Amino acid sequence: MTEQRLLFVCLGNICRSPAAEGVFLHLLAREGLEQQFVVDSAGTGGWHVGNPADRRMRAAAERRGIHLPSRARQIETADLHRFDRILTMDDDNLRAVQALARGLDRQPHQPKVPMARIEPITRYCGRFQVRDVPDPYYGGEAGFEQVLDLLEDACFGLLQELRRG
Ligand code: 4NP
């Protein structure tokens, strides 16, 4: 398998996308595939830059044996070229990243450089049929569990797809 570079994106980069990053890294470690991937996460907003993942998100992940190593950062245009795939958590994130990509497309005299494939992570769910990974930030504990249920399902499907090539 050639090296794959994946960026998970949500709004604040403190709940859903750090969880997606941690869940995917956990799967890679289990399968001994860490060397084949570069995995990162980012937010479309910049309010929490530099912060670790939300304490409630980290606690829910730790209960499943999953560590969330991320520090929040905001997505930047260079990410569209640094990564092979950008996996978004909801429609707002998808539109924001697509808008960033359209802005790049319109710049004159840009040499043609490859751009990441941008897609909703829920596309890779097998057990669940949902469009969005719901934002858990203003809700209760069940929301964080739901995020992890969806992301474990989606990340498993994503890894299977990438291994198939
Ligand atoms: P995330 O959740 O996008 O899953 O990281 C959020 C975290 C913070 C805020 C919104 C969503 N906020 O408005 O501060």
Side-chain angles (χ1 to χ4, degrees), residues 2-65:
T2 55
E3 186 188 72
Q4 304 265 337
R5 292 162 297 172
L6 308 181
L7 181 68
F8 298 101
V9 173
C10 63
L11 175 60
N13 193 212
I14 54 169
C15 296
R16 293 165 294 172
S17 60
E21 177 187 351
V23 167
F24 199 82
L25 287 171
H26 186 77
L27 284 180
L28 292 182
R30 201 175 71 186
E31 305 286 323
L33 289 171
E34 298 107 313
Q35 301 308 315
Q36 327 255 18
F37 287 85
V38 172
V39 181
D40 195 7
S41 65
T44 58
W47 312 282
H48 300 283
V49 168
N51 292 346
D54 184 283
R55 165 182 58 70
R56 299 163 296 173
M57 191 76 256
R58 278 186 284 132
E62 291 291 347
R63 287 196 290 274
R64 299 184 189 206

